[in-house]
Each structure stands twice: as structure tokens, then as C-alpha cells.
Amino acid sequence: MNPAAGMLRIVVGLGTRAVDRPDDDYPRLVAMDYPLLRPQSCMDNIRQFSQRFMDVLNIPQNTLEPISINRYLAEKPDWNVDLYAVEDEEAARRMKQLDMEGTPSWIMTFDRLLTETDFVPLMRRLMDTLQRIYDYPVDIEFTYNQATGRPGQLNLLQCRPLQTRGFGARVQIPDSLPAEQILFQSQGGFMGGCIAQPIDRIILIDPSAYIQLSQQEKYDVARLVGKLNRQICNRDKDTTLLMGPGRWGTSTPSLGVPVRFSEISQISVLCEISYPGGNLMPELSYGSHFFQDLVEEDIFYIALFCEKPDVVLHIHLLQGRENLLRELFPDAQKYQHVVYVYDMRHQNLMLMADVLSQKLVCFFKTA
């Protein structure tokens, strides 16, 4: 894929689910040069990482309202659903086995929209024209309506220069590092350009301990992260890696740590770790407002999907090191089994990533 070709986040309904980081489903990410290419390898994954709700305006009550797409389709069968979705054959098979009757269940793929309409060529023309006029990459918001038997109608709502960091100079990733030196390693799953950065401090939220907390305690952990963030006076001299389960900044504590962006603004590297045991999964939210905040604050982002064969995570290499949380905040002793703060200034810990090879590794350098 060519990054210069651009990408889209598309949803049905209002665009709030495209620009925000929805907690209950996912937009469709579209690479403009390979529109049908997707990271999911099977229909189970496509189903899991697809849009299930859409935001609409409730006119009588003057409110924004999320509704189930399948419920809407059951009530509005005249909608041209085949253009945006495929029938969930697995759900239909289960209903048949249970001798149940019901309306079809749909999975939002957008595949026919991307292949059988003028949507993709039109978006390419629009984005190429705007970038040429601005002489700079652009970030746009738009609507597209495709009525049956009629040409699609595209409306441009917003256009602004896209804040970008660029690739930076290529980084030569060391080959064949011993396992005992690798804290984590991944093929892809990062944003922020090429990097070769020593790590001075690690703040780690232990996934197994976090999922045992009550909802209020999870909010307490988020506020504690904010306190640790405020202690960072100079990001360049105190490079901090923040690691935790699921999505940082979620509004749903069961999906990750519900920090506000101001509570991670001094972090240099933000890492989201998958933890299937608690249904906690990262989301690489390209194009969202959260992503733009990371870019503008120059925060390097990492998503570690630990169930993937090319991802290595050796948290045990941190065990046995002194947890500084009690020293920094004696009143937070209750959470010292959840929140770990490690001083790595003399440990030769290095984070390296190369965009072109899509290699990422965080490792302990030998003298």
C-alpha cells in the first residue's frame, strides 16, 4: 500500500462514529489504493470488527441517538442494504438449527459500495484535487448518499490540513535479538514514524489485575495515571512509556482505561495491549480525533495484539523491579498491584521502529 494514496473511515448514519472512537463497534477502514484490503482474515473477525450501531437524529426529542443497524433494517426493509452489508450466514445457520424464525442479521462490509459504485474514484478525485490546491495532505469530513438507480451524491463538510509527522530517517532494527533482551516486539501495529528512542520510565497497568477492579476503581486508576502524567515536566528528558490493556481514553472502563487526553498528554509512547481474557482489545484509530490528538502532541502509538504469532510481550522482564508508585503517591498503595511505575534511566531500554519494514522492538541494549 502507498500511504500517500490516503485512507477513509466510513460508517452508515451520522459521522460521529467515524471521527470518534466508538466503544461498542468499529468503522470500516479503507485504503484508497486497495479498497478491499482489510486486516481481518476470516468472517468471524470481520463480524467482530464491524459496525453494529449507527447514530441518528431523533427529531421529536432533538437528541443524538444510537440505534441497532439490524433493528433498523428489520423496520426499514426498503433500504438498499446489499450495497453496504452481507447477510450473516452463521447467524442464519444457528437460527435454523434452533428452529427459530426471524429477520436476517447483517454484517457491515461496504464491499459493494467500494467496488460497484463510483464512490472510490470520486473520493480519489476529491482528495487529489484538495491536496493539489492546498499543496499539503488534507483531512476531510464528508457525506455520501447512494439512492437506488441514481448517481451517488457526495457532500464535502470540512477540509483542513492534516497534521503529519512524516516517516523520518530509516531505523536499522537489530536482527536476532536474544529473547531475554526483548520487552516487546511486533510486525506493524504502530503510528508515529521511524523512531530510535531510549525509555526513561514505564507506567504499566497490569491487565489481569485491572479487570478485577470495580468500575469506580477503574476510574480511580485513570485519575492516578493523570497524576503520574502531571509529574512529567519535560518529555524530552523523561521519556515515558505508558502501557495498559485495551483502549486508552475509552468512555467504557470495561474496554480499557478511561483517561482523559489531558491525563496522558505528557506521555512519549502510548501502548495498548490486548487481553482476550477480559475482552480488552486495542484499536488503531487512524483518522479519528483521538489519532489526531496523538499526532499533534507527538505521542508514538503502539498496539500489541498478543494473540498474533508475530507479537512478543515479555512483561516478566519487569517483574522484581521496584514499583515506585508507593513512593510517589503513598495514598495510592491500594493500587500498587495494578499500577506499576519503573525507573528505567540506567537500564539501557531502547524503543526502535521502522515504518518501511514495519518492524518494532523494545529491548534492553547490552553494554
Side-chain angles (χ1 to χ4, degrees):
M1 291 189 299
N2 178 12
M7 55 80 62
L8 303 174
R9 289 168 63 93
I10 55 177
V11 297
V12 293
L14 295 176
T16 45
R17 288 181 175 260
V19 298
D20 294 333
R21 233 182 171 202
D23 289 330
D24 43 15
D25 59 3
Y26 297 83
R28 172 68 194 272
L29 300 186
V30 181
M32 294 300 289
D33 50 348
Y34 291 96
L36 293 183
L37 188 65
R38 61 171 82 237
Q40 298 87 12
S41 58
C42 64
M43 186 53 72
D44 284 344
N45 287 339
I46 293 173
R47 181 189 300 106
Q48 179 181 356
F49 297 105
S50 65
Q51 184 185 1
R52 291 178 287 276
F53 293 84
M54 63 180 179
D55 290 340
V56 299
L57 288 176
N58 186 323
I59 301 299
Q61 297 186 20
N62 193 30
T63 58
L64 181 69
E65 182 178 320
I67 63 172
S68 164
I69 293 175
N70 279 317
R71 192 181 75 181
Y72 176 82
L73 291 174
E75 299 171 356
K76 303 284 185 179
D78 57 334
W79 194 40
N80 190 15
V81 63
D82 290 338
L83 199 61
Y84 308 99
V86 296
E87 188 171 353
D88 190 340
E89 296 180 356
E90 178 62 26
R93 191 179 303 114
R94 288 198 301 266
M95 291 184 67
K96 185 176 181 180
Q97 290 173 347
L98 297 172
D99 198 24
M100 296 173 60
E101 294 184 0
T103 56
S105 180
W106 298 90
I107 302 172
M108 304 303 297
T109 65
F110 298 91
D111 285 351
R112 289 187 59 198
L113 174 73
L114 300 174
T115 57
E116 299 181 16
T117 73
D118 63 352
F119 174 68
V120 171
L122 191 59
M123 292 305 302
R124 284 176 180 152
R125 280 181 51 204
L126 173 65
M127 295 170 72
D128 287 346
T129 300
L130 291 171
Q131 179 164 338
R132 186 174 65 253
I133 293 172
Y134 273 73
D135 194 25
Y136 200 82
V138 293
D139 175 25
I140 66 172
E141 295 183 19
F142 64 93
T143 64
Y144 184 82
N145 293 283
Q146 181 74 55
T148 304
R150 301 176 63 182
Q153 180 177 341
L154 175 66
N155 294 287
L156 179 63
L157 306 180
Q158 290 188 33
C159 178
R160 53 189 172 267
L162 175 65
Q163 296 295 321
T164 58
R165 182 173 178 173
F167 286 171
R170 288 209 62 180
V171 172
Q172 187 65 42
I173 306 295
D175 292 324
S176 304
L177 286 167
E180 61 270 17
Q181 288 181 231
I182 300 173
L183 180 58
F184 57 80
Q185 188 172 18
S186 177
Q187 184 70 30
F190 61 89
M191 300 186 294
C194 298
I195 189 173
Q197 176 70 62
I199 300 298
D200 299 314
R201 173 180 285 193
I202 293 177
I203 302 172
L204 169 68
I205 310 302
D206 182 83
S208 60
Y210 181 78
I211 65 171
Q212 302 300 323
L213 300 178
S214 68
Q215 179 162 298
Q216 182 55 56
E217 288 172 330
K218 290 174 180 176
Y219 280 110
D220 291 345
V221 167
R223 303 294 82 80
L224 183 54
V225 169
K227 291 181 180 179
L228 290 166
N229 177 74
R230 288 193 293 273
Q231 285 197 331
I232 303 171
C233 298
N234 188 327
R235 280 179 24 172
D236 295 331
K237 293 183 178 179
D238 192 8
T239 303
T240 302
L241 165 62
L242 176 60
M243 306 177 70
R247 305 180 188 182
W248 286 104
T250 177
S251 60
T252 305
S254 60
L255 296 179
V257 185
V259 292
R260 310 178 189 98
F261 193 82
S262 61
E263 293 174 315
I264 59 172
S265 59
Q266 296 301 310
I267 299 300
S268 300
V269 183
L270 185 71
C271 179
E272 296 183 337
I273 305 170
S274 69
Y275 190 68
N279 196 30
L280 295 160
M281 300 296 291
E283 187 204 358
L284 288 87
S285 49
Y286 297 111
S288 68
H289 289 165
F290 183 83
F291 166 75
Q292 284 303 109
D293 288 339
L294 293 179
V295 172
E296 291 176 6
E297 293 297 326
D298 199 21
I299 298 175
F300 193 87
Y301 171 85
I302 302 167
L304 295 178
F305 293 91
C306 300
E307 61 279 7
K308 293 178 63 175
D310 56 4
V311 172
V312 172
L313 177 61
H314 292 153
I315 290 295
H316 67 272
L317 295 181
L318 300 176
Q319 294 172 353
R321 300 176 184 271
E322 182 182 5
N323 183 0
L324 301 178
L325 181 65
R326 185 192 300 185
E327 176 184 329
L328 296 171
F329 296 106
D331 59 344
Q333 182 176 348
K334 173 183 178 181
Y335 296 109
Q336 64 179 351
H337 69 295
V338 182
V339 182
Y340 293 82
V341 183
Y342 298 111
D343 184 356
M344 310 302 293
R345 283 175 293 183
H346 304 293
Q347 305 302 312
N348 293 323
L349 184 63
M350 193 77 178
L351 174 66
M352 302 182 75
D354 181 71
V355 172
L356 294 182
S357 66
Q358 282 293 288
K359 292 182 178 179
L360 168 97
V361 64
C362 185
F363 66 102
F364 293 93
K365 291 177 63 177
T366 55

